Structure formats: C-alpha cells, structure tokens
Amino acid sequence: VFAGVRQAQWLTKTKLVEGLPPAVQGVLDNPALGLQELEERAKHVVSHARLWDTAEVAPRRERYCPVLFENLIHICRLMSGKFPSLSKRMLARNCRIAATWERESILLQVRGLSGILMNSMSPIPPVASKEEIVATKEHVLETFYPIAPTIDLQEVNVYKELNDTGQCFRDGYPYSHPHTLFFLESANVRTDRFRPEQLRAKMLMFAFGTALAKARALHGNDPKVLEQPVVVQSIGTDGQLFQFMVFQLNTTDLVSNDGIKNLVWIDSDQNLYERAQCVPEVKKRVVTKPAGISGFQPDTFKKFLALYLHGTV
C-alpha cells in the first residue's frame, strides 16, 4: 500500500485515532491486575529468545521472532489463573481470510493468510461509545487526488465475491469471535520484511477484512450501520519493534465517503528492548558492551498483555 495507513484508511472508510483506546489504557493502568509482577518474566523471555535459544552465536530473526512471540503468549496465559475465561481462547495458525466490498465504484477484496489469529468464545465489547461513533459522520476522509487511492493494488478478475472467514468461524465452532491478529515480520533479510508503516497498513487491512467477514456472517450482506460494532485487534512485530492496533467496524455501508466511519486506534513503533548483545564487545581488552539485553521497555510488554486481556478483564 503506497501511502501506508493513510491509504488503508480510505480503502476501509476508517478514522484514525493515535494511541490506545481508553478501554485498553484502563487495563494498563489498573494496579490490581498485577501486570508489573510479570515484568521480570518478560525480560527473561527476551533473553531466552535472543541469547539462549540456540547454539548459534547470534540467532537469526526468523528463529528468535517466533520464539519470542510464543514465550510472550505463554506469559499471557499465566493470567488465566486469575481470569478463568482467558482459557476460552484458541490460536489459529495459517488462517485464510477473504472479504469483498465496494468503495465509490471500485470493487475491493482483501484475501490471503492473515497471520496468527486468536479467537475467543465471546466478542470484545465496542471500545467507542455511541456518541463517538455518531461523531465520525463529521470526519472527512483524506483523498489522494490526482492519484487514485487504489494506485498500487493488484488488479484481478473477480469471478466470485468471496466473504470467507476461513475455518476459524464455521457454524458450531465454539471460539467463534476474532480477538487479535498477530503478524510476525521475521524475515532475516531486511528487504524481505514489511517496513513498519507497510506493516501497520497490512494490519489495518486484515483487521478490517476479518471484522467485515464476521459482521456479514452475523448480520448478512446488506450494507448497514452495525447495532453492535465488531472489534478486532492486531499486533505486529519483527521481534523487537511492536505495533499495536484496535479496530472497530461500525458500518458495512462502505460505498460512499459520507455517514458513519469505522475507527482504528494505533500505537506505533514501540521497542520491547533496545539491543541484544550476544557476545561482549571488547576494545583494547576492555569490555565496552557486555553480553545481554539492554534497554528493556516494560511498558511495551504491558501493552501486549493488556491487548491480550482486553475484553475479559
């Protein structure tokens, strides 16, 4: 997506709010939850993923990024002792998603592998109030005139307008609500990874596509403002830098730029740690940089945990 999130906003009829929504911030700021008790454990899993997981002197990103993710999820699951409903979650890997919609006179489709999807037995409640949703009517979407907002999208012949939530939401599946999408940008070669802005755009497109497919499964294909908005979160990381996103689908009436818009909250470019030194750096027989993790950022870990807990706590 050439203009990143700005372009994705137009394609999905979405208003952007910087930072995390109050509902997630409330989880972060609640001392009763004891999130800080898990900080040392989080620091330990960073060291495990970056320094100890392999015999290699310096583990490659394609190895340490997934290891770090699995370990962070493991820490999150420890909270199910306090909150038993957290055990009613399921991680689905290689989930395929397809959603088709019309903007102005353009037929658009998002489809493909949507990262790792955590499903839940119950949906995340709406994060924006009715008043905030109504206020989005006033929001004017940015256009890219004279550039078409679809400039670098791949053109294909659509023979079938797919709206498919993949295997994850089949009738009778108990974990039928999308909760959080995880995108691991773990390619070792930098040019093979999405840049942070591209990753945020991808996260927005797939969170929107997942929410739209779910909304249609619940309410049918007729365009409408949703009585009960659908909330889907997304977390993206390259194993060090994290992107956090909460998306709320307020409307499936996407053709015109008028009326109610969808909403997305984005907290960008949050480092979990500054550096991982696998072997000490020595100059003139003096250790200038000791081995280990430096600049660990507990707040980034707490945001990961708060998004996991959101909707349950």
Side-chain angles (χ1 to χ4, degrees):
V1 180
F2 92 102
V5 170
R6 287 165 51 224
Q7 185 182 6
Q9 281 177 252
W10 187 91
L11 295 169
T12 59
K13 195 176 176 178
T14 298
K15 177 188 176 183
L16 168 68
V17 184
E18 295 285 350
L20 294 170
V24 176
Q25 200 60 48
V27 178
L28 267 174
D29 298 340
N30 184 347
L33 296 176
L35 304 194
Q36 63 283 356
E37 292 165 23
L38 297 170
E39 276 177 31
E40 275 308 308
R41 214 178 261 262
K43 204 170 176 180
H44 181 81
V45 305
V46 172
S47 296
H48 174 257
R50 291 300 314 258
L51 308 175
W52 308 326
D53 178 60
T54 168
E56 290 176 33
V57 173
R60 295 154 69 83
R61 191 181 301 269
E62 57 211 21
R63 180 169 180 96
Y64 71 70
C65 182
V67 168
L68 179 67
F69 166 73
E70 298 294 347
N71 289 345
L72 288 174
I73 286 288
H74 177 70
I75 295 178
C76 292
R77 286 192 180 122
L78 296 175
M79 296 294 278
S80 57
K82 274 188 187 174
F83 306 103
S85 58
L86 285 175
S87 58
K88 296 171 180 169
R89 301 271 183 85
M90 180 64 73
L91 275 184
R93 293 162 201 276
N94 300 327
C95 246
R96 288 205 164 271
I97 185 81
T100 308
W101 71 103
E102 206 174 318
R103 280 290 279 126
E104 297 188 335
S105 57
I106 309 156
L107 190 66
L108 297 164
Q109 188 174 72
V110 60
R111 69 177 179 195
L113 287 173
S114 63
I116 299 164
L117 176 60
M118 183 167 70
N119 298 310
S120 174
M121 278 184 158
S122 51
I124 300 174
V127 286
S129 66
K130 292 265 195 292
E131 296 74 39
E132 288 171 278
I133 294 168
V134 170
T136 63
K137 284 184 182 178
E138 307 304 316
H139 180 69
V140 179
L141 291 164
E142 181 182 4
T143 59
F144 301 92
Y145 185 82
I147 300 167
T150 53
I151 178 169
D152 60 347
L153 302 186
Q154 184 184 355
E155 267 196 55
V156 293
N157 292 321
V158 176
Y159 299 108
K160 189 174 178 214
E161 290 189 27
L162 285 175
N163 286 290
D164 181 15
T165 51
Q167 296 297 327
C168 306
F169 309 120
R170 291 278 176 260
D171 283 350
Y173 182 63
Y175 309 97
S176 59
H177 296 280
H179 189 284
T180 305
L181 282 160
F182 298 96
F183 291 96
L184 307 185
E185 278 303 306
S186 54
N188 224 42
V189 181
R190 185 181 288 274
T191 49
D192 293 343
R193 294 197 298 272
F194 274 45
R195 294 191 306 277
E197 177 65 15
Q198 293 173 308
L199 177 57
R200 289 190 291 271
K202 178 182 175 180
M203 288 163 64
L204 175 50
M205 295 305 295
F206 274 98
F208 164 81
T210 303
L212 182 62
K214 181 62 186 172
R216 289 190 174 144
L218 287 170
H219 308 297
N221 289 338
D222 293 340
K224 57 168 83 68
V225 174
L226 300 174
E227 234 354 85
Q228 188 70 11
V230 178
V231 176
V232 177
Q233 302 181 144
S234 192
I235 297 176
T237 184
D238 63 1
Q240 180 175 9
L241 193 67
F242 281 73
Q243 317 293 336
F244 300 105
M245 182 178 293
V246 180
F247 177 81
Q248 180 167 307
L249 186 77
N250 299 317
T251 181
T252 60
D253 186 0
L254 303 161
V255 175
S256 87
N257 288 325
D258 302 329
I260 299 280
K261 315 295 185 297
N262 299 310
L263 282 161
V264 68
W265 291 260
I266 301 180
D267 193 22
S268 307
D269 296 339
Q270 303 293 306
N271 259 330
L272 182 59
Y273 54 93
E274 278 165 27
R275 196 176 68 246
Q277 194 75 25
C278 297
V279 288
E281 190 176 284
V282 181
K283 285 185 181 163
K284 296 180 182 171
R285 298 192 190 173
V286 176
V287 175
T288 52
K289 287 179 188 167
I293 303 297
S294 56
F296 177 70
Q297 305 287 333
D299 282 358
T300 302
F301 160 68
K302 285 185 204 159
K303 287 172 183 177
F304 186 97
L305 186 51
L307 284 182
Y308 186 91
L309 294 173
H310 183 212
T312 294
V313 174

